[in-house]
Coordinates of all heavy atoms in Angstrom, one line a residue:
A47 N 11.2 51.2 -133.0 CA 11.5 50.3 -131.9 C 11.9 51.0 -130.6 O 11.9 50.4 -129.6 CB 12.6 49.3 -132.3
L48 N 12.2 52.3 -130.7 CA 12.6 53.0 -129.5 C 11.3 53.4 -128.6 O 11.5 53.7 -127.5 CB 13.3 54.3 -129.9 CG 14.6 54.2 -130.7 CD1 15.1 55.6 -131.0 CD2 15.6 53.4 -129.9
W49 N 10.2 53.3 -129.2 CA 8.9 53.7 -128.6 C 8.3 52.7 -127.7 O 8.3 51.5 -128.1 CB 7.9 54.2 -129.7 CG 8.3 55.4 -130.4 CD1 9.2 55.5 -131.4 CD2 7.9 56.7 -130.1 NE1 9.4 56.9 -131.8 CE2 8.5 57.6 -131.0 CE3 7.0 57.3 -129.2 CZ2 8.3 59.0 -131.0 CZ3 6.7 58.6 -129.2 CH2 7.4 59.5 -130.1
D50 N 7.7 53.1 -126.6 CA 7.0 52.2 -125.7 C 5.5 52.1 -126.3 O 5.1 52.8 -127.2 CB 7.0 52.8 -124.3 CG 7.2 51.7 -123.3 OD1 7.0 50.5 -123.6 OD2 7.6 52.0 -122.1
D51 N 4.8 51.1 -125.7 CA 3.4 50.8 -126.2 C 2.4 51.9 -126.0 O 1.5 52.0 -126.8 CB 2.9 49.5 -125.5 CG 3.7 48.3 -125.9 OD1 4.3 48.3 -127.0 OD2 3.7 47.3 -125.1
D52 N 2.6 52.8 -125.0 CA 1.7 53.9 -124.8 C 2.1 55.2 -125.3 O 1.9 56.3 -124.8 CB 1.4 54.0 -123.3 CG 2.7 54.2 -122.4 OD1 3.8 54.0 -123.0 OD2 2.6 54.6 -121.3
A53 N 2.8 55.1 -126.5 CA 3.5 56.3 -127.1 C 2.5 57.3 -127.6 O 1.4 57.0 -128.0 CB 4.4 55.8 -128.2
C54 N 3.1 58.6 -127.6 CA 2.3 59.7 -128.2 C 3.4 60.6 -128.9 O 4.3 61.1 -128.3 CB 1.6 60.5 -127.1 SG 0.7 61.9 -127.8
Y55 N 3.2 60.8 -130.2 CA 4.1 61.7 -131.0 C 3.2 62.8 -131.4 O 2.2 62.6 -132.2 CB 4.6 60.8 -132.2 CG 5.4 61.6 -133.2 CD1 6.5 62.4 -132.8 CD2 5.2 61.4 -134.6 CE1 7.3 63.1 -133.7 CE2 6.0 62.1 -135.5 CZ 7.0 62.9 -135.1 OH 7.8 63.5 -136.0
W56 N 3.6 64.1 -131.0 CA 2.7 65.2 -131.2 C 3.5 66.4 -131.8 O 4.5 66.8 -131.2 CB 2.0 65.6 -129.9 CG 1.1 66.7 -129.9 CD1 0.2 67.0 -130.9 CD2 0.8 67.7 -128.9 NE1 -0.5 68.1 -130.6 CE2 -0.2 68.5 -129.3 CE3 1.4 67.9 -127.6 CZ2 -0.6 69.6 -128.6 CZ3 1.0 68.9 -126.9 CH2 -0.1 69.8 -127.4
V57 N 2.9 67.0 -132.8 CA 3.4 68.2 -133.4 C 2.3 69.2 -133.4 O 1.5 69.2 -134.3 CB 4.0 68.0 -134.8 CG1 4.6 69.3 -135.3 CG2 5.1 66.9 -134.8
P58 N 2.1 70.0 -132.4 CA 1.0 71.0 -132.3 C 1.3 72.2 -133.2 O 2.4 72.5 -133.6 CB 1.0 71.4 -130.9 CG 2.4 71.3 -130.4 CD 3.0 70.1 -131.2
M59 N 0.2 72.9 -133.6 CA 0.3 74.1 -134.3 C 0.8 75.3 -133.5 O 1.5 76.1 -133.9 CB -1.0 74.4 -135.0 CG -1.4 73.4 -136.0 SD -3.0 73.8 -136.7 CE -2.5 74.1 -138.4
R60 N 0.4 75.2 -132.2 CA 0.8 76.3 -131.3 C 1.2 75.6 -130.0 O 0.6 74.6 -129.6 CB -0.4 77.3 -131.0 CG -0.6 78.1 -132.2 CD -1.9 79.0 -132.0 NE -2.2 79.8 -133.2 CZ -2.8 79.3 -134.3 NH1 -3.2 78.1 -134.3 NH2 -3.0 80.1 -135.3
E61 N 2.1 76.2 -129.3 CA 2.6 75.7 -128.0 C 1.5 75.4 -127.0 O 1.6 74.4 -126.2 CB 3.7 76.6 -127.5 CG 4.8 75.7 -126.8 CD 6.0 76.5 -126.6 OE1 6.6 77.1 -127.5 OE2 6.5 76.5 -125.4
D62 N 0.5 76.3 -126.9 CA -0.5 76.1 -125.8 C -1.7 75.3 -126.2 O -2.6 75.2 -125.5 CB -1.0 77.5 -125.4 CG 0.1 78.4 -124.8 OD1 1.1 77.8 -124.2 OD2 0.1 79.6 -124.9
D63 N -1.6 74.7 -127.4 CA -2.8 73.9 -127.9 C -3.0 72.7 -127.1 O -2.1 72.1 -126.4 CB -2.5 73.5 -129.4 CG -2.8 74.6 -130.4 OD1 -3.3 75.7 -129.9 OD2 -2.6 74.4 -131.5
D64 N -4.3 72.3 -127.1 CA -4.7 71.0 -126.5 C -5.1 70.1 -127.6 O -5.9 70.4 -128.4 CB -5.9 71.3 -125.6 CG -6.5 70.0 -124.9 OD1 -6.2 68.9 -125.4 OD2 -7.3 70.2 -124.0
P65 N -4.4 68.9 -127.7 CA -4.6 68.1 -128.9 C -6.0 67.5 -129.0 O -6.4 67.1 -130.1 CB -3.6 67.0 -128.7 CG -3.3 67.0 -127.3 CD -3.4 68.4 -126.8
R66 N -6.8 67.5 -127.9 CA -8.1 67.0 -127.9 C -9.1 68.1 -128.4 O -10.2 67.8 -128.8 CB -8.6 66.6 -126.5 CG -7.7 65.3 -126.1 CD -8.0 65.1 -124.6 NE -7.7 66.3 -123.9 CZ -6.8 66.4 -122.8 NH1 -6.3 65.3 -122.4 NH2 -6.6 67.6 -122.3
R67 N -8.6 69.4 -128.5 CA -9.5 70.4 -128.9 C -9.0 71.2 -130.1 O -9.8 72.0 -130.7 CB -9.7 71.4 -127.7 CG -10.4 70.7 -126.5 CD -10.4 71.6 -125.3 NE -11.3 72.7 -125.5 CZ -11.3 73.8 -124.8 NH1 -10.5 73.9 -123.8 NH2 -12.0 74.8 -125.1
N68 N -7.7 71.1 -130.4 CA -7.2 71.9 -131.4 C -6.5 71.0 -132.5 O -6.0 69.9 -132.2 CB -6.1 72.9 -130.9 CG -6.6 73.8 -129.8 OD1 -6.3 73.6 -128.6 ND2 -7.3 74.8 -130.2
L69 N -6.6 71.5 -133.7 CA -6.0 70.7 -134.8 C -4.4 70.7 -134.6 O -3.8 71.7 -134.2 CB -6.3 71.4 -136.1 CG -5.8 70.8 -137.4 CD1 -6.5 69.4 -137.6 CD2 -6.2 71.7 -138.6
S70 N -3.8 69.6 -134.9 CA -2.4 69.4 -134.8 C -1.8 69.0 -136.1 O -2.5 68.4 -136.9 CB -2.0 68.3 -133.8 OG -2.5 68.6 -132.5
Y71 N -0.6 69.2 -136.4 CA 0.1 68.7 -137.6 C 0.2 67.2 -137.5 O -0.1 66.5 -138.5 CB 1.5 69.3 -137.8 CG 1.5 70.8 -138.1 CD1 1.9 71.7 -137.2 CD2 0.9 71.3 -139.3 CE1 1.9 73.1 -137.5 CE2 0.8 72.6 -139.6 CZ 1.3 73.5 -138.7 OH 1.3 74.8 -139.0
I72 N 0.6 66.7 -136.3 CA 0.7 65.3 -136.1 C 0.2 65.0 -134.6 O 0.6 65.8 -133.7 CB 2.1 64.8 -136.2 CG1 2.6 64.9 -137.7 CG2 2.2 63.3 -135.8 CD1 4.1 64.6 -137.9
Y73 N -0.6 64.0 -134.4 CA -1.0 63.6 -133.1 C -1.2 62.1 -133.2 O -2.3 61.6 -133.4 CB -2.2 64.3 -132.6 CG -2.5 64.0 -131.1 CD1 -1.6 64.3 -130.1 CD2 -3.8 63.5 -130.8 CE1 -1.9 64.0 -128.8 CE2 -4.1 63.3 -129.5 CZ -3.1 63.5 -128.5 OH -3.4 63.2 -127.2
D74 N -0.1 61.4 -133.0 CA -0.2 59.9 -133.3 C 0.0 59.1 -132.0 O 0.8 59.4 -131.1 CB 1.0 59.5 -134.1 CG 0.9 59.9 -135.6 OD1 -0.1 60.5 -135.9 OD2 1.9 59.7 -136.3
N75 N -0.9 58.1 -131.8 CA -0.7 57.2 -130.7 C 0.1 56.1 -131.3 O 0.6 56.2 -132.4 CB -2.1 56.6 -130.2 CG -2.9 56.0 -131.3 OD1 -2.4 55.6 -132.4 ND2 -4.2 55.8 -131.0
R76 N 0.4 55.0 -130.6 CA 1.3 53.9 -131.0 C 0.8 53.3 -132.3 O 1.6 53.0 -133.2 CB 1.4 52.9 -129.9 CG 2.5 51.9 -130.1 CD 3.9 52.6 -130.2 NE 5.0 51.7 -130.3 CZ 5.5 51.3 -131.4 NH1 5.0 51.6 -132.6 NH2 6.5 50.4 -131.4
R77 N -0.5 53.0 -132.4 CA -1.0 52.4 -133.6 C -0.8 53.3 -134.8 O -0.4 52.8 -135.9 CB -2.5 52.1 -133.4 CG -3.1 51.5 -134.7 CD -4.6 51.3 -134.6 NE -4.8 50.0 -133.9 CZ -5.9 49.6 -133.4 NH1 -6.9 50.4 -133.4 NH2 -6.0 48.4 -132.8
R78 N -1.2 54.6 -134.7 CA -1.0 55.5 -135.8 C 0.5 55.7 -136.2 O 0.8 55.8 -137.4 CB -1.6 56.8 -135.5 CG -1.5 57.9 -136.6 CD -2.2 57.5 -137.9 NE -1.9 58.5 -138.9 CZ -1.3 58.2 -140.0 NH1 -0.9 57.0 -140.3 NH2 -1.1 59.2 -140.9
L79 N 1.3 55.7 -135.2 CA 2.8 55.8 -135.4 C 3.3 54.6 -136.3 O 4.0 54.7 -137.2 CB 3.5 55.9 -134.1 CG 4.9 56.2 -134.1 CD1 5.2 57.6 -134.7 CD2 5.5 56.2 -132.7
H80 N 2.8 53.4 -135.9 CA 3.2 52.2 -136.6 C 2.7 52.3 -138.1 O 3.4 52.0 -139.0 CB 2.6 50.9 -136.0 CG 2.9 49.7 -136.7 ND1 4.1 49.1 -136.7 CD2 2.1 48.9 -137.5 CE1 4.1 48.0 -137.5 NE2 2.9 47.9 -138.0
S81 N 1.5 52.8 -138.3 CA 1.0 53.0 -139.7 C 1.8 54.0 -140.5 O 2.1 53.8 -141.6 CB -0.5 53.5 -139.6 OG -1.0 53.7 -140.8
R82 N 2.2 55.1 -139.8 CA 3.0 56.1 -140.5 C 4.4 55.5 -140.9 O 4.9 55.7 -142.0 CB 3.2 57.3 -139.5 CG 4.0 58.4 -140.1 CD 4.2 59.6 -139.1 NE 3.0 60.1 -138.7 CZ 2.2 61.0 -139.3 NH1 2.6 61.5 -140.5 NH2 1.1 61.5 -138.8
I83 N 5.0 54.7 -140.0 CA 6.2 54.1 -140.3 C 6.1 53.1 -141.4 O 7.0 53.0 -142.3 CB 6.8 53.4 -139.0 CG1 7.1 54.4 -138.0 CG2 8.1 52.6 -139.4 CD1 8.0 55.5 -138.4
A84 N 5.0 52.3 -141.4 CA 4.8 51.3 -142.5 C 4.7 52.1 -143.9 O 5.3 51.6 -144.9 CB 3.5 50.5 -142.3
Q85 N 4.0 53.2 -143.9 CA 3.9 54.0 -145.2 C 5.3 54.5 -145.6 O 5.7 54.4 -146.8 CB 3.0 55.2 -145.0 CG 1.6 54.9 -144.8 CD 0.7 56.1 -144.5 OE1 1.3 57.2 -144.3 NE2 -0.6 55.9 -144.5
L86 N 6.1 55.0 -144.6 CA 7.4 55.5 -145.0 C 8.3 54.4 -145.4 O 9.2 54.5 -146.3 CB 8.1 56.2 -143.8 CG 7.5 57.6 -143.4 CD1 7.9 58.0 -142.1 CD2 7.9 58.6 -144.5
N87 N 8.2 53.2 -144.9 CA 9.0 52.0 -145.2 C 8.7 51.5 -146.6 O 9.6 50.7 -147.2 CB 8.9 50.9 -144.2 CG 9.8 51.1 -143.0 OD1 10.8 51.8 -143.1 ND2 9.4 50.6 -141.9
T88 N 7.6 51.8 -147.2 CA 7.3 51.3 -148.5 C 8.2 51.9 -149.6 O 8.5 51.3 -150.6 CB 5.8 51.6 -149.0 OG1 5.7 53.0 -149.1 CG2 4.8 51.0 -148.0
G89 N 8.7 53.1 -149.3 CA 9.6 53.8 -150.2 C 8.8 54.4 -151.4 O 9.4 55.0 -152.3
S90 N 7.5 54.3 -151.4 CA 6.7 54.8 -152.5 C 5.7 55.9 -152.0 O 4.6 56.0 -152.6 CB 6.0 53.7 -153.2 OG 5.2 53.0 -152.3
R91 N 6.0 56.5 -151.0 CA 5.1 57.6 -150.5 C 5.3 58.8 -151.3 O 6.4 59.4 -151.4 CB 5.4 57.9 -149.0 CG 4.4 58.8 -148.4 CD 4.6 58.8 -146.9 NE 3.5 59.6 -146.3 CZ 3.5 60.0 -145.1 NH1 4.6 59.8 -144.3 NH2 2.5 60.7 -144.6
H92 N 4.3 59.3 -152.0 CA 4.4 60.3 -153.0 C 5.1 61.6 -152.4 O 5.9 62.2 -153.1 CB 3.0 60.7 -153.6 CG 3.1 61.8 -154.5 ND1 3.6 61.8 -155.8 CD2 2.6 63.1 -154.4 CE1 3.6 63.0 -156.4 NE2 2.9 63.8 -155.5
A93 N 4.7 61.9 -151.2 CA 5.2 63.2 -150.6 C 6.7 63.0 -150.3 O 7.3 64.0 -149.9 CB 4.4 63.5 -149.4
Q94 N 7.3 61.8 -150.4 CA 8.7 61.6 -150.1 C 9.4 61.0 -151.4 O 10.3 60.1 -151.2 CB 8.9 60.7 -148.9 CG 8.8 61.5 -147.6 CD 10.0 62.4 -147.5 OE1 11.1 62.0 -147.2 NE2 9.7 63.7 -147.6
T95 N 9.0 61.4 -152.6 CA 9.6 61.0 -153.8 C 10.1 62.3 -154.5 O 9.3 63.0 -155.0 CB 8.6 60.2 -154.7 OG1 8.1 59.2 -154.0 CG2 9.3 59.7 -155.9
P96 N 11.4 62.5 -154.5 CA 12.5 61.7 -153.9 C 12.5 61.9 -152.4 O 11.9 62.9 -151.9 CB 13.8 62.3 -154.5 CG 13.4 63.7 -154.8 CD 11.9 63.7 -155.2
P97 N 13.1 60.9 -151.7 CA 13.1 61.1 -150.2 C 14.0 62.2 -149.7 O 14.9 62.6 -150.4 CB 13.7 59.7 -149.7 CG 14.4 59.1 -150.9 CD 13.8 59.7 -152.2
S98 N 13.5 62.8 -148.6 CA 14.3 63.9 -148.0 C 15.6 63.4 -147.5 O 15.7 62.3 -146.9 CB 13.5 64.5 -146.8 OG 12.3 65.1 -147.3
R99 N 16.6 64.2 -147.6 CA 17.9 64.0 -147.0 C 17.9 64.9 -145.8 O 17.6 66.1 -146.0 CB 19.1 64.2 -147.9 CG 19.1 63.2 -149.1 CD 20.2 63.5 -150.0 NE 21.4 63.7 -149.3 CZ 22.5 62.9 -149.3 NH1 22.4 61.8 -149.9 NH2 23.6 63.2 -148.6
M100 N 18.3 64.4 -144.6 CA 18.1 65.3 -143.4 C 19.3 65.1 -142.5 O 20.0 64.1 -142.4 CB 16.9 64.9 -142.6 CG 15.6 65.1 -143.4 SD 14.2 64.5 -142.5 CE 14.4 62.7 -142.8
R101 N 19.6 66.2 -141.8 CA 20.5 66.2 -140.7 C 20.0 67.2 -139.7 O 19.6 68.3 -140.0 CB 22.0 66.6 -141.1 CG 22.7 65.5 -141.8 CD 23.0 64.4 -140.9 NE 23.6 63.3 -141.6 CZ 23.1 62.1 -141.7 NH1 21.9 61.8 -141.2 NH2 23.7 61.1 -142.4
R102 N 20.0 66.8 -138.4 CA 19.6 67.7 -137.4 C 20.6 67.9 -136.3 O 21.4 67.0 -136.1 CB 18.2 67.3 -136.8 CG 18.3 66.1 -135.9 CD 16.9 65.5 -135.7 NE 16.4 64.8 -136.9 CZ 15.2 64.6 -137.2 NH1 14.2 65.0 -136.5 NH2 14.9 64.0 -138.3

Side-chain angles (χ1 to χ4, degrees):
L48 300 176
W49 290 80
D50 222 339
D51 293 336
D52 56 346
C54 179
Y55 176 46
W56 182 36
V57 183
M59 296 179 114
R60 290 175 182 79
E61 214 165 309
D62 296 334
D63 281 356
D64 177 345
R66 296 168 305 232
R67 298 175 63 198
N68 304 104
L69 184 63
S70 299
Y71 292 114
I72 297 172
Y73 187 57
D74 290 355
N75 61 17
R76 189 64 173 90
R77 175 184 279 166
R78 178 65 185 117
L79 192 60
H80 178 74
S81 175
R82 183 181 301 278
I83 296 304
Q85 290 174 355
L86 287 167
N87 277 335
T88 66
S90 60
R91 191 169 186 196
H92 175 71
Q94 276 294 287
T95 305
S98 295
R99 295 180 46 108
M100 295 173 286
R101 284 293 176 243
R102 72 194 76 206

